[in-house]
Amino acid sequence: MDAQAPKSLESGPDVITLGRSSVDLYGQQIGGRLEDMSSFAKYVGGSPTNTAIGAARLGLKAGLITRVGADHMGRFILEALGREGVDTAGVVTDPERLTALVILGIVDKETFPLIFYRENCADMAIDMADVDTQWLASARALVIDGTHLSQANVYSASLEAVRTVKAAGGRIVFDIDYRPVLWGLAARDMGEQRYVANAEVTRRLSVVTPLCDLIIGTEEEIRILGGADDVVAALRNIRTATDAVLVCKLGAEGCAVFDGAIPAKVTDGLVVPGFAIEVMNVLGAGDAFSAGFLRGWLGGEDLYTCGRWGNACGAIVVTRHGCAPAMPTFDELQTFIGMHHPMSAADIERLDHIHWARTRHRDYPSLMVLAMDHRFQFEELAADLGADMARVPEFKRLALRAVDALAEGNAAFGVLLDGRYGAEALSEAAHTTYWIGRPVEVPKSRPLVFEAGADVGLDINTWPANHVVKCLVLYHPDDGEALRAEQERQLVTLFDACRRSGHELLLELILPADMPSDAQTRSRAMQRLYGLGIRPDWWKLEPVADEAVWRNIDAVIAANDPLCRGVVVLGLSAPEDELMRAFAVAAQFSCVKGFAIGRTIFHDVASQWLKGGMDDATAVDLMSASLSRLVDAWKEMHATVRTQAPQPVKVKA
């Protein structure tokens, strides 16, 4: 069977990287042997793939040439590349080989046991016959890496790609990327070993040297390419073969750049100092450096700026777990450079929030959600009707069908489903493109209690990554001190757990019905939670038709978290006409993205269906029709005011 390559895109990339693409399984227990690590986080990996993602996050049009297996891991990589905006015209799905894997752990800042599973893996079968040469030739630059020069077929493929780009006037970048174990020079359990001198490796790598415009490597990698144990001697050997810009990465000290003759000492080159940071893990720093340097180099920046951007990207990544997911965005990079170093705790928190918000997958200009996460409401309804609660899970599956009948895969739609009665529907929703929210709170609890018990983080860590954590809290800024403190403690715990697990958080804030409120009460409550460091990705708020209420809400979000995804309006079982009035007001404000409505849509249908007075098809049709009316109303109101929405009012945090 022939490998299948996607069709190429019309416009050429700024940079194409060629080579390894794998799945990294990172041990989550830090400070011990790989043998003692019991759980692993899954990330996209492989130096060229990491660099492509890093370049895309920094604003370059990046493409990738590689192969992945026709397997779950290959699809994971392709989906991740798509979310990051990396052009996959050169990514081939190989039906005969598996996607490469890497298993690694973090013992300390400099020690990371690493095992490559790469025997006959997909990316070692790259064949340029599968790649659109017009697309390749349209690239401004091509990055190749040394690892793929270790095998004859990919060695040939790399050189063919270089010649194609060079003939079209593009520039060639060589990331030396030396892994002795992948050249057969180290034991298989020594994947972390960085340097073994070998004349044959030097000879093979040196074939590329004269073709390059930019060469990047660590001191060890410069030594292997230059064939000398002394770095300056190695640099001079390289210089005899090329006029390329040479970049020697110096770890925490930064980098040295050479754009001419090689001086007597490395430090006599253009030395760009590093940043004072606390290192967690040095893996991935080099790939981030390359992405940062390329962002400057291809943008016409001077070499000092290129080195500074490269150093900054590397410094950011070494503070985090993982490689590709740790890569910074351009505004994150600029924020980091503008900070005092070493960073304060507040600076780290600010930077981490920018990273989190800017790398969330998918944008939501609008979001229309059928809320079906109700639990006690169904228990009460079934008790009133004398109906069998065992039928409720099937009704929730029908509700998902109702969404599907209307949405037909449109990612602007979503569902809220619980893990108790909605577990089967949740499993089905996992195979759709819809936004998926899932509750964690004990219904009606005040103070807030989590269904899974005290350790809510342990619970949500078992959820799929695309599930949004939804938490309803009955909260008032004027609650008694003890009650307020307990609820806020729970919410801080939940927010921290979500950030640790990588799940987005939707915070549903409802004012207690027996407490007074005015146009500022909700915004005061939100401000108090923001003051505790809680930054929900989403807010879910009551359907009020008071413009002053929404103006205050919009102002608080703008002042505290302009990167917030926004607000969805909840229903509280309100009649449709009442919701329409609330929509008409809320739609005027840019922070409001849509709605998450439940009982208004399903309550009457559920009553009839649970007592046997309605068949499945009718239930689906009625729920879909009701949802459709709300969707049409929201879209019409939102479209009417989107060009004249009030500007957010700036308030002090």
Side-chain angles (χ1 to χ4, degrees), residues 609-637:
W609 186 86
L610 285 172
K611 64 185 182 182
M614 184 181 294
D615 62 26
D616 292 357
T618 302
V620 170
D621 289 345
L622 288 175
M623 285 189 285
S624 186
S626 181
L627 177 61
S628 180
R629 289 192 295 273
L630 292 176
V631 167
D632 290 344
W634 171 259
K635 287 182 176 178
E636 181 180 355
M637 294 172 189

Side-chain angles (χ1 to χ4, degrees), residues 53-65:
I53 289 174
R57 287 188 175 181
L58 292 172
L60 292 175
K61 292 171 59 180
L64 175 66
I65 296 174

Side-chain angles (χ1 to χ4, degrees), residues 141-144 171-175 212-214 216 294 297:
L142 171 71
V143 180
I144 63 170
R171 295 195 272 184
I172 305 303
V173 181
F174 185 27
D175 187 339
C212 296
D213 299 284
L214 173 65
I216 301 174
L294 286 168
W297 192 61

Side-chain angles (χ1 to χ4, degrees), residues 58 272-277 288 292-293 295-296 301 304-316 320 328-343 347 350-351 354:
L58 292 172
V272 185
F275 295 84
I277 40 84
F293 197 96
R295 175 64 172 83
E301 302 290 343
Y304 186 90
T305 299
C306 296
R308 188 157 175 79
W309 288 3
N311 289 342
C313 288
I316 291 169
R320 295 171 177 162
T329 59
F330 190 68
D331 59 343
E332 184 184 352
L333 166 63
Q334 296 302 312
T335 300
F336 175 83
I337 288 176
M339 289 175 167
H340 176 76
H341 296 277
M343 294 183 291
D347 283 341
R350 177 185 170 208
L351 194 72
I354 294 172

